[in-house]
Amino acid sequence: MKIRLLSFLIFFSVMPLFAQTAYTTSLKTAIYSEPSLGSEKVAQLTRGTAITIKKTHNKWVYISSGSKNGWIQKAFTSTVKPKGKVSILGNANRTSRMKARERASSDVTAASARGFMQTENSKGRSRPNQEMLKFDPADIDKMESVTLSEDELITFLRQGGLLE
Amino acid sequence: MRTKQKYLAAIFFVAFAILSCAVGDNVRKRETEQHQRVTQELLYGRLLSKEILSRYKVYNNPEASVYVNKVGRGVALFAGRSELTYYFAILDSETINAFAAPGGYIFITKGSIMAMENEAELAAMLAHEIGHVNNRHIMRQIPLPKENNIADTIASILVAQGTVVSAAMNETVKKASTLLFEDGYLIEDEYEADQSAISYLIETGYDYRALIQFMSRIESIKKTDTKLQVYHTHPPTLDRINMINSFLKEQNSASITGKLVTERFQNFKTSIH
């Protein structure tokens, strides 16, 4: 009898290790009553909530998380717990990066002169390669320099009457 | 009997410890693999962005750029890939088009913005491009060359030396550039990006119908200005609209409401020249 009890203990202790556990990855993920966007939203999960996937249906998964059950979109789940942004900008300071890009820029120009790339003007017609724009490395830096916190984004969305 | 129980208990604890370690190792392995995959994606996207910016000038209007980033990143909060930082830029072009490079580099033309009537339409176009990024359409169609430590290689190219790109990598970016500017995505990938866009719009609270409204407007612009380059790399607009409508029917979406956000968008639009 005790051996059976111990076997059950072993089985149920080890079981959770193999359950299909995943995490939600959107800021907030709606749980739906059915696997469709038009069905009732029954609850919401915050990013990084652990969920157990019970079954799948097309691009939807039926999950449970604590007392909450229902359907969420598979695209908003991951088997890896969200741990912030991945960045490739942190390994060098901006100045050295910009210097590196200045050198890269001259390569692009040279490549275009050799006919490496085709280009189009604003009306979609081909242009001779020598009219290729000179890539300005500062453009990518400018693009990457726009910093907005999550709070700023949420405030912006709420001001627009969104997130309701 | 007591010895037997002790023996079983010992087996239980050892098995539990081994399995816990194995699961822990598996989690760490998945985390490391994801980090490497995303790093490669970011580097690929940066190289391709360079190609895009060799064809189009960036529209220099910092305030407009911040607005577009707020809309795009706002939608991206509800798009499921929290490991990415999305960067949005306006291209100084009168054409109606948008481009996405892996890792979250997204470009929209000034002409597209001028053809829009509300923020939901802008959100829809950006959401479509986010859909291409999140579904890794370029990377699936034109994968990175299988080289050892490719991420380190490209990182050193971009960050440290800035000069040498491996022949294989050069070829990959060239193919991706052809996909963006000439061939276009696979039709099924366009449809998938549309479906993703609708889902992101609904989760954020925008009116998803804006996607169809904007596409219908593109169709009428095409008829009146045949010389204007409008989404020439995308499948026929009417086919896309039909596919979206089928998807919406399948999702029982008729009762879903959302916001267009017109006034704020019109203020932004007046700042665009």
Side-chain angles (χ1 to χ4, degrees):
Chain A
M1 188 64 187
K2 282 180 180 173
I3 292 170
R4 274 189 196 170
L5 187 70
L6 208 57
S7 305
F8 274 118
L9 266 175
I10 293 171
F11 181 75
F12 286 108
S13 302
V14 172
M15 264 287 282
L17 297 173
F18 294 100
Q20 204 182 351
T21 303
Y23 302 90
T24 55
T25 53
S26 280
L27 184 70
K28 283 180 181 165
T29 303
I31 304 182
Y32 292 86
S33 61
E34 303 290 333
S36 81
L37 292 166
S39 68
E40 189 192 351
K41 284 184 187 178
V42 293
Q44 212 169 37
L45 299 173
T46 53
R47 184 169 53 219
T49 305
I51 53 172
T52 304
I53 296 176
K54 303 277 182 72
K55 58 184 172 182
T56 62
H57 175 77
N58 297 330
K59 293 187 173 183
W60 293 81
V61 286
Y62 186 83
I63 61 102
S64 71
S65 180
S67 59
K68 296 169 181 169
N69 294 288
W71 294 90
I72 66 174
Q73 295 181 73
K74 198 179 176 187
F76 304 152
T77 68
S78 170
T79 51
V80 176
K81 190 171 185 178
K83 283 193 174 170
K85 308 281 183 197
V86 176
S87 176
I88 52 172
L89 304 179
N91 297 329
N93 65 41
R94 191 161 286 273
T95 314
S96 65
R97 240 183 22 249
M98 286 182 81
K99 278 180 184 169
R101 286 184 186 151
E102 277 162 22
R103 289 193 293 273
S105 167
S106 57
D107 281 7
V108 170
T109 313
S112 68
R114 289 194 301 270
F116 175 65
M117 289 169 280
Q118 281 284 317
T119 186
E120 292 169 341
N121 66 8
S122 62
K123 300 293 179 191
R125 290 185 288 269
S126 289
R127 274 179 175 177
N129 283 333
Q130 60 268 28
E131 284 184 40
M132 186 96 179
L133 284 170
K134 187 182 176 186
F135 164 68
D136 183 356
D139 281 344
I140 284 191
D141 276 317
K142 271 186 208 159
M143 199 174 171
E144 290 169 340
S145 70
V146 178
T147 52
L148 292 162
S149 68
E150 251 178 38
D151 285 346
E152 280 178 279
L153 296 174
I154 291 165
T155 304
F156 174 80
L157 293 172
R158 288 211 172 115
Q159 282 168 348
L162 303 156
L163 307 184
E164 284 174 357
Chain B
M1 191 66 183
R2 196 170 281 175
T3 315
K4 203 171 183 180
Q5 282 169 17
K6 279 181 185 171
Y7 189 63
L8 276 168
I11 290 173
F12 161 68
F13 284 119
V14 170
F16 188 79
I18 291 169
L19 282 164
S20 298
C21 288
V23 169
D25 282 350
N26 202 23
V27 168
R28 277 187 290 278
K29 194 182 164 198
R30 279 204 303 262
E31 283 175 359
T32 308
E33 281 171 358
Q34 192 209 42
H35 193 275
Q36 283 172 350
R37 213 170 38 242
V38 175
T39 303
Q40 289 180 2
E41 199 175 341
L42 289 168
L43 294 163
Y44 189 169
R46 257 214 190 149
L47 283 172
L48 188 55
S49 298
K50 214 163 80 169
E51 291 287 311
I52 295 167
L53 294 175
S54 298
R55 292 165 185 258
Y56 290 92
K57 269 167 62 181
V58 169
Y59 174 58
N60 191 16
N61 182 336
E63 278 181 27
S65 169
V66 167
Y67 176 80
V68 169
N69 272 279
K70 280 183 177 175
V71 175
R73 290 186 196 179
V75 171
L77 285 178
F78 298 88
R81 290 198 63 193
S82 57
E83 74 277 17
L84 294 181
T85 302
Y86 297 81
Y87 301 107
F88 298 86
I90 305 169
L91 299 174
D92 197 356
S93 165
E94 301 309 315
T95 60
I96 298 177
N97 216 337
F99 306 99
Y105 291 84
I106 293 172
F107 304 84
I108 180 170
T109 60
K110 201 171 72 177
S112 302
I113 292 168
M114 297 315 285
M116 290 167 178
E117 287 182 358
N118 52 56
E119 193 173 289
E121 290 182 4
L122 173 61
M125 197 173 191
L126 299 179
H128 174 90
E129 298 306 320
I130 292 170
H132 282 308
V133 172
N134 288 5
N135 291 299
R136 297 182 177 89
H137 287 153
I138 288 184
M139 296 196 76
R140 275 186 352 211
Q141 214 175 321
I142 304 162
L144 281 163
K146 286 188 172 64
E147 293 171 358
N148 290 335
N149 298 318
I150 184 88
D152 292 341
T153 311
I154 312 173
S156 65
I157 293 158
L158 282 172
V159 179
Q161 297 165 4
T163 50
V164 184
V165 177
S166 75
M169 190 62 216
N170 214 346
E171 188 61 25
T172 303
V173 175
K174 197 175 159 187
K175 279 183 190 166
S177 176
T178 306
L179 180 151
L180 276 185
F181 296 109
E182 290 164 36
D183 301 339
Y185 291 96
L186 297 172
I187 288 176
E188 55 266 34
D189 287 351
E190 289 290 0
Y191 297 152
E192 188 175 41
D194 284 334
Q195 291 178 8
S196 296
I198 283 167
S199 147
Y200 305 156
L201 292 170
I202 290 171
E203 296 297 329
T204 316
Y206 284 110
D207 188 344
Y208 67 86
R209 295 166 188 87
L211 180 63
I212 300 173
Q213 281 156 8
F214 182 61
M215 282 163 64
S216 304
R217 197 169 314 116
I218 289 175
E219 197 57 22
S220 56
I221 291 171
K222 264 177 170 176
K223 282 176 188 162
T224 53
D225 188 351
T226 50
K227 284 183 182 172
L228 188 65
Q229 183 195 359
V230 182
Y231 260 155
H232 81 291
T233 53
H234 289 64
T237 313
L238 288 175
D239 289 353
R240 282 178 65 193
I241 292 172
N242 289 337
M243 286 300 289
I244 291 171
N245 282 329
S246 306
F247 172 71
L248 291 173
K249 199 175 167 188
E250 196 184 287
Q251 296 293 319
N252 301 314
S253 64
S255 61
I256 305 171
T257 56
K259 299 280 165 58
L260 292 173
V261 196
T262 306
E263 195 182 332
R264 183 165 72 181
F265 179 80
Q266 289 300 334
N267 290 337
F268 152 72
K269 207 170 144 181
T270 53
S271 73
I272 307 277
H273 310 290

